[in-house]
Amino acid sequence: AHVMNRYGVVIPAFNASATIRETLQSVAAQTLRPERVVIVDDGSADDLAAAIVGIDLPLELLRQDNAGPGSATTRGIAALSTPFIATLDADDLWLPGKIEAQFVHLERQPGASGVFTHMRSFRDGEIDALAPTATPGWSRSTMMIRREVAEAVGPILDPPGGRGEMIDWIARVR
């Protein structure tokens, strides 16, 4: 593989057995294949291992006591050695050309630390009628970042209440 196109994927998962399969199928459908996909089970009560059987990806399932999605993402990043890391929530989907488009951008902008994409909200498979257009997605599900940048920024901290952990971390990246 072209060194530029070497990437791994981190998916934090909490009680995500109902959605993880479709999420992983969207990763498997990428025009550029990941070297590794690390799923971090953040203390789920469901059977995530059973939900991912037979998916055609180089999967690794790590488990930890429930500590939050930031902690789980940080653990997944530490488990990868690829030059680039893409992150994804366990109930989100990537369009097939997402990763390839991000690498095209990074080749044109070699000084960039990472790149995000636009995103659309959906529920139960339907585009959200209140937000039908794609908007800039400063989120875990749209991020591709250089591994050394993610490591330099440090852990993704889970704030009280369990939401918004990427906001602080992305601000530190920027």
Side-chain angles (χ1 to χ4, degrees):
H2 189 276
V3 67
M4 180 70 197
N5 296 341
R6 290 185 53 224
Y7 76 102
V9 181
V10 174
I11 304 174
F14 179 72
N15 292 338
S17 61
T19 59
I20 189 78
R21 192 166 192 87
E22 197 175 356
T23 295
L24 289 170
Q25 285 165 343
S26 82
V27 174
Q30 290 302 302
T31 53
L32 294 173
R33 259 181 96 70
E35 277 185 26
R36 222 154 128 225
V37 178
V38 178
I39 302 162
V40 182
D41 181 342
D42 188 38
S44 299
D46 61 357
D47 191 352
L48 202 61
I52 66 174
V53 169
I55 299 273
D56 180 28
L57 282 170
L59 296 178
E60 179 176 351
L61 178 59
L62 303 178
R63 286 189 177 82
Q64 67 179 28
D65 289 338
N66 182 255
S71 168
T73 305
T74 299
R75 172 117 186 257
I77 289 170
L80 285 174
S81 59
T82 51
F84 291 90
I85 294 167
T87 50
L88 176 59
D89 283 336
D91 61 351
D92 283 344
L93 304 171
W94 285 344
L95 295 176
K98 183 249 190 212
I99 294 290
E100 189 172 355
Q102 288 182 299
F103 275 123
V104 167
H105 179 82
L106 289 164
E107 283 174 20
R108 289 186 186 139
Q109 304 285 336
S113 296
V115 61
F116 293 80
T117 66
H118 281 66
M119 64 186 219
R120 283 188 308 210
S121 296
F122 66 93
R123 187 170 305 284
D124 302 323
E126 300 295 319
I127 296 296
D128 185 342
L130 299 176
T133 57
T135 56
W138 295 96
S139 81
R140 180 174 14 247
S141 291
T142 65
M143 182 172 76
M144 159 97 58
I145 193 163
R146 293 180 193 275
R147 185 173 51 85
E148 67 269 20
V149 173
E151 289 174 350
V153 173
I156 301 166
L157 306 173
D158 290 288
R163 294 186 68 81
E165 74 285 350
M166 293 303 292
I167 297 168
D168 164 72
W169 193 79
I170 291 167
R172 286 191 278 142
V173 169
R174 293 178 81 184

PDB file of all heavy atoms in Angstrom, residues 124-149:
ATOM      1  N   ASP A 124     -32.990   5.935  12.268  1.00  0.00           N
ATOM      2  CA  ASP A 124     -33.691   4.764  11.719  1.00  0.00           C
ATOM      3  C   ASP A 124     -33.560   4.693  10.195  1.00  0.00           C
ATOM      4  O   ASP A 124     -34.518   4.375   9.488  1.00  0.00           O
ATOM      5  CB  ASP A 124     -35.183   4.780  12.124  1.00  0.00           C
ATOM      6  CG  ASP A 124     -35.351   4.795  13.636  1.00  0.00           C
ATOM      7  OD1 ASP A 124     -34.541   4.124  14.313  1.00  0.00           O
ATOM      8  OD2 ASP A 124     -36.262   5.470  14.130  1.00  0.00           O
ATOM      9  N   GLY A 125     -32.387   5.040   9.698  1.00  0.00           N
ATOM     10  CA  GLY A 125     -32.116   4.916   8.271  1.00  0.00           C
ATOM     11  C   GLY A 125     -32.599   6.067   7.413  1.00  0.00           C
ATOM     12  O   GLY A 125     -32.329   6.107   6.221  1.00  0.00           O
ATOM     13  N   GLU A 126     -33.315   7.022   8.005  1.00  0.00           N
ATOM     14  CA  GLU A 126     -33.858   8.152   7.235  1.00  0.00           C
ATOM     15  C   GLU A 126     -33.085   9.423   7.563  1.00  0.00           C
ATOM     16  O   GLU A 126     -32.779   9.674   8.724  1.00  0.00           O
ATOM     17  CB  GLU A 126     -35.338   8.371   7.580  1.00  0.00           C
ATOM     18  CG  GLU A 126     -36.232   7.170   7.287  1.00  0.00           C
ATOM     19  CD  GLU A 126     -36.311   6.862   5.797  1.00  0.00           C
ATOM     20  OE1 GLU A 126     -36.404   7.813   4.998  1.00  0.00           O
ATOM     21  OE2 GLU A 126     -36.282   5.666   5.447  1.00  0.00           O
ATOM     22  N   ILE A 127     -32.801  10.223   6.522  1.00  0.00           N
ATOM     23  CA  ILE A 127     -32.138  11.511   6.742  1.00  0.00           C
ATOM     24  C   ILE A 127     -33.024  12.374   7.637  1.00  0.00           C
ATOM     25  O   ILE A 127     -34.239  12.446   7.449  1.00  0.00           O
ATOM     26  CB  ILE A 127     -31.862  12.230   5.396  1.00  0.00           C
ATOM     27  CG1 ILE A 127     -30.884  11.409   4.540  1.00  0.00           C
ATOM     28  CG2 ILE A 127     -31.356  13.642   5.608  1.00  0.00           C
ATOM     29  CD1 ILE A 127     -29.505  11.255   5.122  1.00  0.00           C
ATOM     30  N   ASP A 128     -32.427  13.039   8.600  1.00  0.00           N
ATOM     31  CA  ASP A 128     -33.145  13.895   9.545  1.00  0.00           C
ATOM     32  C   ASP A 128     -33.811  15.048   8.784  1.00  0.00           C
ATOM     33  O   ASP A 128     -33.127  15.862   8.161  1.00  0.00           O
ATOM     34  CB  ASP A 128     -32.148  14.433  10.584  1.00  0.00           C
ATOM     35  CG  ASP A 128     -32.808  15.248  11.688  1.00  0.00           C
ATOM     36  OD1 ASP A 128     -33.962  15.696  11.512  1.00  0.00           O
ATOM     37  OD2 ASP A 128     -32.152  15.449  12.717  1.00  0.00           O
ATOM     38  N   ALA A 129     -35.145  15.118   8.835  1.00  0.00           N
ATOM     39  CA  ALA A 129     -35.893  16.146   8.104  1.00  0.00           C
ATOM     40  C   ALA A 129     -35.551  17.556   8.586  1.00  0.00           C
ATOM     41  O   ALA A 129     -35.671  18.521   7.835  1.00  0.00           O
ATOM     42  CB  ALA A 129     -37.395  15.892   8.237  1.00  0.00           C
ATOM     43  N   LEU A 130     -35.115  17.678   9.831  1.00  0.00           N
ATOM     44  CA  LEU A 130     -34.762  19.002  10.370  1.00  0.00           C
ATOM     45  C   LEU A 130     -33.367  19.436   9.930  1.00  0.00           C
ATOM     46  O   LEU A 130     -33.033  20.613  10.003  1.00  0.00           O
ATOM     47  CB  LEU A 130     -34.829  18.985  11.904  1.00  0.00           C
ATOM     48  CG  LEU A 130     -36.191  18.653  12.499  1.00  0.00           C
ATOM     49  CD1 LEU A 130     -36.096  18.574  14.019  1.00  0.00           C
ATOM     50  CD2 LEU A 130     -37.212  19.708  12.092  1.00  0.00           C
ATOM     51  N   ALA A 131     -32.548  18.494   9.472  1.00  0.00           N
ATOM     52  CA  ALA A 131     -31.187  18.817   9.029  1.00  0.00           C
ATOM     53  C   ALA A 131     -30.851  17.990   7.793  1.00  0.00           C
ATOM     54  O   ALA A 131     -29.993  17.123   7.824  1.00  0.00           O
ATOM     55  CB  ALA A 131     -30.200  18.534  10.161  1.00  0.00           C
ATOM     56  N   PRO A 132     -31.563  18.259   6.677  1.00  0.00           N
ATOM     57  CA  PRO A 132     -31.409  17.411   5.493  1.00  0.00           C
ATOM     58  C   PRO A 132     -30.110  17.619   4.720  1.00  0.00           C
ATOM     59  O   PRO A 132     -29.717  16.767   3.939  1.00  0.00           O
ATOM     60  CB  PRO A 132     -32.616  17.787   4.635  1.00  0.00           C
ATOM     61  CG  PRO A 132     -32.931  19.187   5.027  1.00  0.00           C
ATOM     62  CD  PRO A 132     -32.569  19.303   6.482  1.00  0.00           C
ATOM     63  N   THR A 133     -29.453  18.754   4.920  1.00  0.00           N
ATOM     64  CA  THR A 133     -28.239  19.027   4.153  1.00  0.00           C
ATOM     65  C   THR A 133     -27.000  18.677   4.972  1.00  0.00           C
ATOM     66  O   THR A 133     -27.021  18.682   6.198  1.00  0.00           O
ATOM     67  CB  THR A 133     -28.176  20.505   3.735  1.00  0.00           C
ATOM     68  OG1 THR A 133     -28.257  21.317   4.904  1.00  0.00           O
ATOM     69  CG2 THR A 133     -29.309  20.872   2.808  1.00  0.00           C
ATOM     70  N   ALA A 134     -25.922  18.406   4.249  1.00  0.00           N
ATOM     71  CA  ALA A 134     -24.661  18.085   4.916  1.00  0.00           C
ATOM     72  C   ALA A 134     -24.045  19.359   5.484  1.00  0.00           C
ATOM     73  O   ALA A 134     -24.065  20.410   4.845  1.00  0.00           O
ATOM     74  CB  ALA A 134     -23.705  17.435   3.925  1.00  0.00           C
ATOM     75  N   THR A 135     -23.538  19.263   6.701  1.00  0.00           N
ATOM     76  CA  THR A 135     -22.899  20.398   7.361  1.00  0.00           C
ATOM     77  C   THR A 135     -21.504  19.982   7.818  1.00  0.00           C
ATOM     78  O   THR A 135     -21.230  18.782   7.961  1.00  0.00           O
ATOM     79  CB  THR A 135     -23.712  20.867   8.581  1.00  0.00           C
ATOM     80  OG1 THR A 135     -23.886  19.751   9.461  1.00  0.00           O
ATOM     81  CG2 THR A 135     -25.076  21.395   8.177  1.00  0.00           C
ATOM     82  N   PRO A 136     -20.594  20.957   8.061  1.00  0.00           N
ATOM     83  CA  PRO A 136     -19.254  20.589   8.517  1.00  0.00           C
ATOM     84  C   PRO A 136     -19.337  19.733   9.788  1.00  0.00           C
ATOM     85  O   PRO A 136     -20.044  20.083  10.731  1.00  0.00           O
ATOM     86  CB  PRO A 136     -18.581  21.933   8.793  1.00  0.00           C
ATOM     87  CG  PRO A 136     -19.291  22.899   7.901  1.00  0.00           C
ATOM     88  CD  PRO A 136     -20.723  22.408   7.872  1.00  0.00           C
ATOM     89  N   GLY A 137     -18.653  18.602   9.764  1.00  0.00           N
ATOM     90  CA  GLY A 137     -18.759  17.645  10.853  1.00  0.00           C
ATOM     91  C   GLY A 137     -17.504  17.585  11.703  1.00  0.00           C
ATOM     92  O   GLY A 137     -16.629  16.774  11.457  1.00  0.00           O
ATOM     93  N   TRP A 138     -17.428  18.470  12.690  1.00  0.00           N
ATOM     94  CA  TRP A 138     -16.306  18.413  13.634  1.00  0.00           C
ATOM     95  C   TRP A 138     -16.648  17.344  14.655  1.00  0.00           C
ATOM     96  O   TRP A 138     -17.125  17.643  15.745  1.00  0.00           O
ATOM     97  CB  TRP A 138     -16.103  19.778  14.297  1.00  0.00           C
ATOM     98  CG  TRP A 138     -15.694  20.831  13.323  1.00  0.00           C
ATOM     99  CD1 TRP A 138     -16.504  21.730  12.701  1.00  0.00           C
ATOM    100  CD2 TRP A 138     -14.371  21.088  12.845  1.00  0.00           C
ATOM    101  NE1 TRP A 138     -15.771  22.526  11.860  1.00  0.00           N
ATOM    102  CE2 TRP A 138     -14.449  22.158  11.928  1.00  0.00           C
ATOM    103  CE3 TRP A 138     -13.119  20.500  13.101  1.00  0.00           C
ATOM    104  CZ2 TRP A 138     -13.331  22.657  11.269  1.00  0.00           C
ATOM    105  CZ3 TRP A 138     -12.010  21.005  12.440  1.00  0.00           C
ATOM    106  CH2 TRP A 138     -12.128  22.077  11.534  1.00  0.00           C
ATOM    107  N   SER A 139     -16.436  16.070  14.282  1.00  0.00           N
ATOM    108  CA  SER A 139     -16.877  14.983  15.148  1.00  0.00           C
ATOM    109  C   SER A 139     -15.961  13.776  15.012  1.00  0.00           C
ATOM    110  O   SER A 139     -15.140  13.697  14.104  1.00  0.00           O
ATOM    111  CB  SER A 139     -18.309  14.573  14.792  1.00  0.00           C
ATOM    112  OG  SER A 139     -18.309  13.716  13.666  1.00  0.00           O
ATOM    113  N   ARG A 140     -16.150  12.818  15.923  1.00  0.00           N
ATOM    114  CA  ARG A 140     -15.368  11.579  15.865  1.00  0.00           C
ATOM    115  C   ARG A 140     -15.617  10.850  14.548  1.00  0.00           C
ATOM    116  O   ARG A 140     -14.699  10.300  13.958  1.00  0.00           O
ATOM    117  CB  ARG A 140     -15.736  10.678  17.048  1.00  0.00           C
ATOM    118  CG  ARG A 140     -14.968   9.376  17.051  1.00  0.00           C
ATOM    119  CD  ARG A 140     -15.178   8.515  18.274  1.00  0.00           C
ATOM    120  NE  ARG A 140     -16.310   8.913  19.069  1.00  0.00           N
ATOM    121  CZ  ARG A 140     -16.221   9.432  20.303  1.00  0.00           C
ATOM    122  NH1 ARG A 140     -15.074   9.594  20.893  1.00  0.00           N
ATOM    123  NH2 ARG A 140     -17.305   9.766  20.954  1.00  0.00           N
ATOM    124  N   SER A 141     -16.852  10.843  14.065  1.00  0.00           N
ATOM    125  CA  SER A 141     -17.188  10.026  12.898  1.00  0.00           C
ATOM    126  C   SER A 141     -16.649  10.567  11.580  1.00  0.00           C
ATOM    127  O   SER A 141     -16.677   9.857  10.576  1.00  0.00           O
ATOM    128  CB  SER A 141     -18.702   9.836  12.811  1.00  0.00           C
ATOM    129  OG  SER A 141     -19.126   9.008  13.882  1.00  0.00           O
ATOM    130  N   THR A 142     -16.171  11.800  11.568  1.00  0.00           N
ATOM    131  CA  THR A 142     -15.661  12.386  10.321  1.00  0.00           C
ATOM    132  C   THR A 142     -14.141  12.612  10.338  1.00  0.00           C
ATOM    133  O   THR A 142     -13.587  13.069   9.354  1.00  0.00           O
ATOM    134  CB  THR A 142     -16.338  13.751  10.050  1.00  0.00           C
ATOM    135  OG1 THR A 142     -15.963  14.666  11.084  1.00  0.00           O
ATOM    136  CG2 THR A 142     -17.854  13.620   9.997  1.00  0.00           C
ATOM    137  N   MET A 143     -13.484  12.289  11.427  1.00  0.00           N
ATOM    138  CA  MET A 143     -12.072  12.661  11.602  1.00  0.00           C
ATOM    139  C   MET A 143     -11.091  11.646  11.020  1.00  0.00           C
ATOM    140  O   MET A 143     -11.235  10.452  11.199  1.00  0.00           O
ATOM    141  CB  MET A 143     -11.765  12.821  13.096  1.00  0.00           C
ATOM    142  CG  MET A 143     -10.331  13.259  13.370  1.00  0.00           C
ATOM    143  SD  MET A 143     -10.023  13.677  15.111  1.00  0.00           S
ATOM    144  CE  MET A 143      -9.921  12.029  15.850  1.00  0.00           C
ATOM    145  N   MET A 144     -10.081  12.173  10.327  1.00  0.00           N
ATOM    146  CA  MET A 144      -8.890  11.408   9.942  1.00  0.00           C
ATOM    147  C   MET A 144      -7.717  12.262  10.411  1.00  0.00           C
ATOM    148  O   MET A 144      -7.630  13.446  10.073  1.00  0.00           O
ATOM    149  CB  MET A 144      -8.828  11.208   8.438  1.00  0.00           C
ATOM    150  CG  MET A 144      -7.452  10.899   7.904  1.00  0.00           C
ATOM    151  SD  MET A 144      -7.064   9.174   7.629  1.00  0.00           S
ATOM    152  CE  MET A 144      -8.303   8.655   6.499  1.00  0.00           C
ATOM    153  N   ILE A 145      -6.822  11.688  11.208  1.00  0.00           N
ATOM    154  CA  ILE A 145      -5.750  12.465  11.825  1.00  0.00           C
ATOM    155  C   ILE A 145      -4.437  11.689  11.772  1.00  0.00           C
ATOM    156  O   ILE A 145      -4.437  10.457  11.757  1.00  0.00           O
ATOM    157  CB  ILE A 145      -6.138  12.830  13.281  1.00  0.00           C
ATOM    158  CG1 ILE A 145      -5.219  13.904  13.853  1.00  0.00           C
ATOM    159  CG2 ILE A 145      -6.215  11.591  14.180  1.00  0.00           C
ATOM    160  CD1 ILE A 145      -5.768  14.586  15.099  1.00  0.00           C
ATOM    161  N   ARG A 146      -3.343  12.432  11.699  1.00  0.00           N
ATOM    162  CA  ARG A 146      -2.029  11.786  11.760  1.00  0.00           C
ATOM    163  C   ARG A 146      -1.841  11.217  13.163  1.00  0.00           C
ATOM    164  O   ARG A 146      -2.126  11.891  14.151  1.00  0.00           O
ATOM    165  CB  ARG A 146      -0.926  12.797  11.448  1.00  0.00           C
ATOM    166  CG  ARG A 146      -0.951  13.302  10.027  1.00  0.00           C
ATOM    167  CD  ARG A 146       0.165  14.309   9.747  1.00  0.00           C
ATOM    168  NE  ARG A 146      -0.081  14.988   8.495  1.00  0.00           N
ATOM    169  CZ  ARG A 146       0.280  14.512   7.298  1.00  0.00           C
ATOM    170  NH1 ARG A 146       0.932  13.364   7.220  1.00  0.00           N
ATOM    171  NH2 ARG A 146      -0.007  15.175   6.206  1.00  0.00           N
ATOM    172  N   ARG A 147      -1.330   9.994  13.232  1.00  0.00           N
ATOM    173  CA  ARG A 147      -1.177   9.331  14.528  1.00  0.00           C
ATOM    174  C   ARG A 147      -0.305  10.147  15.475  1.00  0.00           C
ATOM    175  O   ARG A 147      -0.615  10.301  16.653  1.00  0.00           O
ATOM    176  CB  ARG A 147      -0.601   7.924  14.357  1.00  0.00           C
ATOM    177  CG  ARG A 147      -0.545   7.148  15.662  1.00  0.00           C
ATOM    178  CD  ARG A 147      -0.131   5.704  15.475  1.00  0.00           C
ATOM    179  NE  ARG A 147       1.071   5.567  14.704  1.00  0.00           N
ATOM    180  CZ  ARG A 147       2.312   5.650  15.226  1.00  0.00           C
ATOM    181  NH1 ARG A 147       2.483   5.839  16.502  1.00  0.00           N
ATOM    182  NH2 ARG A 147       3.355   5.531  14.449  1.00  0.00           N
ATOM    183  N   GLU A 148       0.787  10.734  14.957  1.00  0.00           N
ATOM    184  CA  GLU A 148       1.684  11.473  15.858  1.00  0.00           C
ATOM    185  C   GLU A 148       1.017  12.726  16.420  1.00  0.00           C
ATOM    186  O   GLU A 148       1.319  13.146  17.532  1.00  0.00           O
ATOM    187  CB  GLU A 148       3.023  11.810  15.194  1.00  0.00           C
ATOM    188  CG  GLU A 148       2.954  12.803  14.034  1.00  0.00           C
ATOM    189  CD  GLU A 148       2.785  12.155  12.666  1.00  0.00           C
ATOM    190  OE1 GLU A 148       2.350  10.977  12.591  1.00  0.00           O
ATOM    191  OE2 GLU A 148       3.070  12.826  11.664  1.00  0.00           O
ATOM    192  N   VAL A 149       0.082  13.302  15.675  1.00  0.00           N
ATOM    193  CA  VAL A 149      -0.661  14.468  16.171  1.00  0.00           C
ATOM    194  C   VAL A 149      -1.597  14.033  17.301  1.00  0.00           C
ATOM    195  O   VAL A 149      -1.640  14.654  18.364  1.00  0.00           O
ATOM    196  CB  VAL A 149      -1.450  15.148  15.033  1.00  0.00           C
ATOM    197  CG1 VAL A 149      -2.356  16.242  15.581  1.00  0.00           C
ATOM    198  CG2 VAL A 149      -0.482  15.720  13.998  1.00  0.00           C
TER     199      VAL A 149
END
